[in-house]
Amino acid sequence: MFGIYLKRELGRRKKAALVVALGLALGIALVITVNSVSAGMTQAQDKVLQSLYGLGTDMTVTKARTAPTANSSRGPAFEFDASSDEDEEQSSDRVMTQGGQALKSSLVAQVAEQKGVAAAIGALTLNVTKVDGSFTQGKAESSTGGQSQGQGMAPGGGTGSTAAPRVQGGGASFDVNSYSVAGVDVTDQDLGPLAGSKITSGTTFTAAQTDAAVAVVSASYAKEKSYKAGSAITISGTEYKVIGIATPESSESTTDVYLPLKQAQTLADAADQVTTIYVKATDSQQIDSVKAAIQKNISGTTVTTSADLAETVSGSLSTASNLATSVGRWLSIAVLAAAFLVAALLTSSAVSRRVREFGTLKALGWPSRRVTRQVVGESMVNGLLGGALGIALGLAAAYTVTAISPTLTARLGNTGGAGGGMGGGPGGGGPGGQSAGSTLEIALSAPVSLTTIALAVGLAVAGGLVAGAMGGWRASRMRPADALRSVS
């Protein structure tokens, strides 16, 4: 009886049912769209952080560089031999540690022993400035009485006045090339600078190559310099064989050349030193407590987590993320609340127009709870219909965003510290290892999870219950006499 009556009443009021369902559908579709776009923003931010941290890295340990004193402040210095009479190609490399202050390699073991730390490895970030070119010596020429010195005596047998000699020609032509180098612990490449890259040509380091003269080059730098597996690259007089080309899996690499850690330490004259310690926690939910333990037990260090780094990301990605998480969610809540209210008012209004019907049913013996159940049942069907339409509209909107894939920019800044910040940063660069103006481009997607679909179904049921509760309450208060008064 309940089902038959429900089907008949919904069939008689198709337009009213459709209006209620569409109102709920729009609210639910907006919630799905905002949630899916927010999930896409989170994924995009994760890609940015992975490009710096590398997969599996939860935090980094660095030490801020101290401010230089007046006597120690000194920029890069290059020395060339300019005494030769012949034009000669000359080259000089300046290798400097980059990011924060150097840490002792023994600190890596201390960090690994802290409670909650699953693994810790050290890395050394360097900046190499290469200057190469040649000098061209000029020729000194002097003139006498307006003629060249080689013309001898002036007319009349005397000598003319001799002008000061002048240097003609000569000069110098030098090219400056700066690139980044990361010293990698080849015994554990699942954590650290190479963790976020995939070897697309050649091979990666082996555990036996801890001090071998081999290198892995990033794909972008290899393309720029025409390197390939088997090529040779010379750094500060040492020749390294390129054994592989690394392509970042998330975004552009911040490191150009990867070397075994010992080789990088030798280049920088930084034996047993690292600039960054990469840390993986045993439980991602305990990252804050692990950070606090490291800072407490190892003084003078700066521990930076992905959450800290996320605060330094600016640009359209950050702006869009803030809009999605604040304005978008509040807007979806407001629209959803309005949809619930409209559904409740329309249901209540429909009940008031069915006074004769419900009064007659009560006169025939229907108790108030049965009348209420009937109204709630109709509202639940409207709510589920609205939920189905809303899910379809939300999925269509999310698919459209993914298909268009708008490009957002993420500008990476420093987390502070005198030249340190995160110091040598994850991914071989990090904020301390790359310029503060480094910009990445990320394609936005809008993934829809099962949790979002479940939320939509829950909202549809809730909308039906809210509308049915208001309409059912009003229907339950009707009396059989109300039906008689409504007869004209």
Side-chain angles (χ1 to χ4, degrees), residues 134-482:
S134 62
F135 292 102
T136 302
Q137 291 189 346
K139 295 183 179 180
E141 296 184 358
S142 62
S143 59
T144 304
Q147 302 293 327
S148 65
Q149 188 176 12
Q151 290 180 325
M153 302 292 292
T159 59
S161 60
T162 302
R166 292 187 302 173
V167 177
Q168 300 292 335
S173 176
F174 285 85
D175 292 328
V176 179
N177 176 33
S178 181
Y179 57 95
S180 59
V181 176
V184 179
D185 186 345
V186 298
T187 61
D188 186 359
Q189 298 176 53
D190 293 331
L191 190 63
L194 266 176
S197 297
K198 180 180 180 181
I199 302 299
T200 53
S201 177
T203 61
T204 188
F205 302 110
T206 65
Q209 293 174 321
T210 56
D211 199 15
V214 292
V216 172
V217 181
S218 70
S220 58
Y221 192 68
K223 182 178 180 180
E224 178 186 348
K225 299 298 181 181
S226 301
Y227 289 130
K228 60 183 180 179
S231 299
I233 179 173
T234 302
I235 305 175
S236 192
T238 303
E239 185 176 287
Y240 295 90
K241 180 182 178 181
V242 177
I243 61 173
I245 306 298
T247 302
E249 295 182 334
S250 54
S251 56
E252 195 63 30
S253 173
T254 57
T255 300
D256 299 315
V257 180
Y258 302 90
L259 300 177
L261 179 57
K262 288 187 177 180
Q263 283 289 328
Q265 291 171 337
T266 301
L267 277 178
D269 193 20
D272 297 324
Q273 292 183 344
V274 296
T275 51
T276 308
I277 301 174
Y278 296 79
V279 181
K280 181 179 181 180
T282 54
D283 184 357
S284 60
Q285 303 299 320
Q286 302 297 324
I287 290 178
D288 289 339
S289 61
V290 175
K291 174 181 177 179
I294 294 175
Q295 288 180 324
K296 177 182 178 182
N297 299 326
I298 305 177
S299 61
T301 58
T302 300
V303 182
T304 308
T305 66
S306 57
D308 299 327
L309 184 60
E311 296 178 358
T312 72
V313 178
S314 60
S316 60
L317 173 59
S318 177
T319 303
S321 179
N322 291 335
L323 288 175
T325 55
S326 57
V327 178
R329 287 185 179 178
W330 282 112
L331 178 62
S332 63
I333 291 174
V335 171
L336 192 63
F340 280 13
L341 180 60
V342 169
L345 292 176
L346 288 176
T347 303
S348 180
S349 177
V351 168
S352 65
R353 291 194 297 271
R354 297 167 67 184
V355 173
R356 184 186 307 175
E357 175 187 342
F358 290 129
T360 302
L361 290 174
K362 284 195 171 185
L364 293 175
W366 277 38
S368 294
R369 65 176 180 276
R370 188 172 180 182
V371 174
T372 300
R373 185 180 65 175
Q374 189 68 38
V375 175
V376 172
E378 295 174 11
S379 298
M380 285 294 297
V381 173
N382 291 336
L384 292 175
L385 178 61
L389 291 174
I391 291 174
L393 291 174
L395 290 175
Y399 175 79
T400 302
V401 172
T402 303
I404 296 174
S405 295
T407 300
L408 301 177
T409 59
R411 189 176 181 85
L412 305 171
N414 250 322
T415 57
M422 284 189 57
Q434 64 184 58
S435 64
S438 178
T439 302
L440 301 177
E441 292 186 351
I442 303 294
L444 177 65
S445 62
V448 181
S449 65
L450 293 177
T451 302
T452 302
I453 299 298
L455 175 64
V457 173
L459 291 174
V461 173
L465 288 174
V466 169
M470 181 174 288
W473 173 78
R474 186 162 187 174
S476 66
R477 293 172 60 86
M478 292 181 181
R479 295 172 299 172
D482 295 330

Side-chain angles (χ1 to χ4, degrees), residues 2-12 374:
F2 173 77
I4 296 175
Y5 188 74
L6 178 65
K7 181 179 179 181
R8 188 188 69 182
E9 291 303 316
L10 289 174
R12 289 175 54 193
Q374 189 68 38

